[in-house]
Amino acid sequence: MKAIIPVAGAGTKLRPHTYTQPKALIPLAGKTILSIIVDQLLEAGITEYIFIVGYLGNKIQDYVRDRYPGLNVHFVQQNERKGIGQAIALTKDIVNNDELFIVLGDSVCEYNPKDVLQNEHSVLGVKKVDDPRDFGVAEIGEDGMISRVVEKPHIPKSNMALVGIYFIKESEKLFECLESNLQNNLTSHGEFNLTDALECMINNGIKIAPFKVQNWFDCGKKETLLDTNAILLKKFGHKIAEDRIFENTIIIPPVNIASGCNIRNAIIGPNVTIGENVTIHSSIVKDAIIGTFSNLSDIVITRSLIGSDAEVKGESRSLNVGDNAEIDLGRTM
């Protein structure tokens, strides 16, 4: 059994943060998107991982080696981003016909991977959505198996979206389909999609079952990332490190405050994640994610995403500030 986690995307919808930080490493309820994914798979007993890296891939490698020392990992470079299908195809020699658990690097879901692994068939994670046109879609037959998968259909025949979780028992057949699509330049929406290879498998008689996840959290944009942070904090994220300094400060749960923070004359929360070594003075912060080593003073912020090493001071605003930035919202004289 091997797990594949593609994390080569540029995360353009989360800029300016993803200019300097891979999307998978953005903090979320005291963890990162990537650590949430890996921790779920580790609990299911999966110990060998293939990370497909590209944009800022060195940061992914450093993070994995630092957080998960001793883990059996492989890093595969995707130099040309031609789609998830092309990315998965690069791992063929490492997979070597083993069973696969593929989780896209931005797919944060509430589910039990052990339940998925117990299925006798290959399995695709699905979730009912109101508008499936922006997703891969699974059509489910009368026998309860997936009869067809389509990438971003203009006229969907199902509202069951693929959530980015794939358990593939017949990996040899998957790679045959991927290679066929690459050789025949079979793309959809300008990319080699994994969905097209899965459709090829179904057409070749492979039975694939749907697996409904309990929740699917959207981490694609600032607003939805903040909503996801609030939900996850309520579920399991409330934690305050012991090695921090609070003075004349009110904490409104849920919050997650990392070690080394210095917070004085402030109101923090609810729904706030604060990274390591952050300084906050004379400020009110709620519904926000604050990166490591940032400095906030004389500010009221809400619905804000602040990167690492940023300095913010001044008046009340809703902000989207990348790493290494300095914002002064004070009055000009």
Side-chain angles (χ1 to χ4, degrees), residues 221-232:
K221 296 180 293 185
K222 171 203 164 188
E223 294 302 325
T224 56
L225 185 70
L226 291 171
D227 291 339
T228 295
N229 181 62
I231 293 169
L232 294 180

Side-chain angles (χ1 to χ4, degrees), residues 124-163:
L124 307 184
V126 297
K127 178 71 174 175
K128 184 182 292 186
V129 297
D130 294 330
D131 186 355
R133 290 176 295 177
D134 289 334
F135 308 101
V137 174
E139 298 176 15
I140 301 174
E142 294 181 357
D143 60 353
M145 306 298 287
I146 295 176
S147 59
R148 186 177 181 228
V149 288
V150 186
E151 185 66 25
K152 298 178 181 176
H154 294 297
I155 304 177
K157 295 183 179 180
S158 166
N159 60 358
M160 301 303 294
L162 300 176
V163 301

Side-chain angles (χ1 to χ4, degrees), residues 39-142:
D39 289 348
Q40 286 176 321
L41 298 179
L42 283 172
E43 288 182 7
I46 300 174
T47 59
E48 188 168 0
Y49 293 78
I50 304 169
F51 296 92
I52 304 172
V53 299
Y55 178 72
L56 298 176
N58 60 316
K59 290 194 173 185
I60 295 286
Q61 295 185 48
D62 292 344
Y63 177 83
V64 170
R65 287 173 174 148
D66 179 63
R67 185 178 178 91
Y68 302 100
L71 193 66
N72 188 0
V73 298
H74 311 267
F75 296 99
V76 174
Q77 185 77 24
Q78 186 187 19
N79 294 317
E80 296 182 277
R81 294 197 299 274
K82 295 183 178 180
I84 297 296
Q86 184 248 354
I88 300 298
L90 297 172
T91 69
K92 178 182 177 181
D93 292 340
I94 300 175
V95 172
N96 195 26
N97 299 333
D98 283 350
E99 292 183 348
L100 285 178
F101 205 123
I102 303 170
V103 183
L104 302 188
D106 57 359
S107 292
V108 177
C109 295
E110 187 177 7
Y111 75 112
N112 188 344
K114 291 181 180 179
D115 294 339
V116 177
L117 296 176
Q118 291 174 358
N119 204 296
E120 62 178 313
H121 301 293
S122 291
V123 169
L124 307 184
V126 297
K127 178 71 174 175
K128 184 182 292 186
V129 297
D130 294 330
D131 186 355
R133 290 176 295 177
D134 289 334
F135 308 101
V137 174
E139 298 176 15
I140 301 174
E142 294 181 357

